[in-house]
Amino acid sequence: MIKLVSFTICPFVQRVTAQLNAKQIPYEIEYINLKDKPQWFLDISPNGQVPVLLTEAGVALFESDAIVEYIEDEYGPLEQGVSHTQRALDRAWSYLGSKHYLAQCGVMSSKDEQTFIQRAEKLRQAFAKVEAQLTGESPFFKSDRLSNVDIAWLPLLHRAAMIKAHTQYDFLCGLPKVQAWQAALLAAVEVNRTVADDFEAKFTDFYLTETFLAKGTDIPAQQVCQAASCCG
């Protein structure tokens, strides 16, 4: 059985676990403390980062993009009959999502209002590009079927939903097609199976303690998405 080495709230890891779950591939997972990385992990991770996937042959793979491609090559694609052109487009949109994981982490960990608003606006621009791409006629990014693009954006959409549930702040305010995509995706994917059992507790402890978002009522009114004003 393959094994995944992870950090509890890492979005890059969630992308991999979501891919494995979508394809119903059994796997083991071990969580480590990134502030005290064990030597055995450093020995197999050239960049010292998670995720690391240990294949059934014991080969250590690193970098989430490479791991996702390995899963596709080894266990078959999530979608059948995808042209080379479409596959390239899917990888490009997937990359656009994954390269904003750290940007979203930066927004959520902002300590003051000015930093928060500046970072949030840059992230919003990425979501706005998706809003322009979505047709609104199908539940997922491209069609009625789950794709690699959906999996790549899942960590962003999941975290956005978590923040909204705890603070009312909505990263997707005024983006009705992305909001609909988020709702469909979170309903279709068993999100709890893609994260650790204590994910929510550790997520809120990390991002909603001594951060600007933790202040709650201090978030500017125009930054809080109210259902009556700008939600789809």
Side-chain angles (χ1 to χ4, degrees), residues 4-26:
L4 195 62
V5 183
S6 173
F7 171 60
T8 308
I9 60 174
C10 176
F12 296 94
V13 173
Q14 188 180 16
R15 179 188 179 188
V16 175
T17 56
Q19 187 85 8
L20 292 169
N21 287 331
K23 294 184 60 60
Q24 299 182 335
I25 301 169

Side-chain angles (χ1 to χ4, degrees), residues 63-163:
E63 293 291 348
S64 59
D65 286 329
I67 291 172
V68 167
E69 289 186 16
Y70 167 79
I71 294 170
E72 288 271 295
D73 293 340
E74 184 70 12
Y75 298 97
L78 190 59
E79 293 182 283
Q80 300 293 331
V82 178
S83 69
H84 295 308
T85 301
Q86 185 60 55
R87 190 176 302 279
L89 285 170
D90 290 352
R91 285 176 175 170
W93 279 102
S94 296
Y95 174 71
L96 182 63
S98 65
K99 81 172 188 177
H100 283 90
Y101 292 172
L102 294 182
Q104 188 182 48
C105 292
V107 179
M108 296 185 296
S109 60
S110 298
K111 302 297 185 183
D112 60 82
E113 178 180 334
Q114 183 177 0
T115 302
F116 174 83
I117 293 176
Q118 289 177 345
R119 291 176 176 176
E121 178 55 31
K122 290 182 180 179
L123 181 61
R124 179 182 172 77
Q125 290 172 11
F127 284 124
K129 291 176 182 178
V130 179
E131 179 77 11
Q133 179 71 16
L134 293 171
T135 65
E137 298 176 356
S138 56
F140 303 130
F141 185 80
K142 297 190 302 180
S143 65
D144 294 337
R145 295 185 300 172
L146 201 66
S147 74
N148 287 336
V149 182
D150 298 295
I151 296 297
W153 284 79
L154 175 66
L156 292 167
L157 298 173
H158 180 213
R159 282 155 179 74
M162 294 279 292
I163 291 298

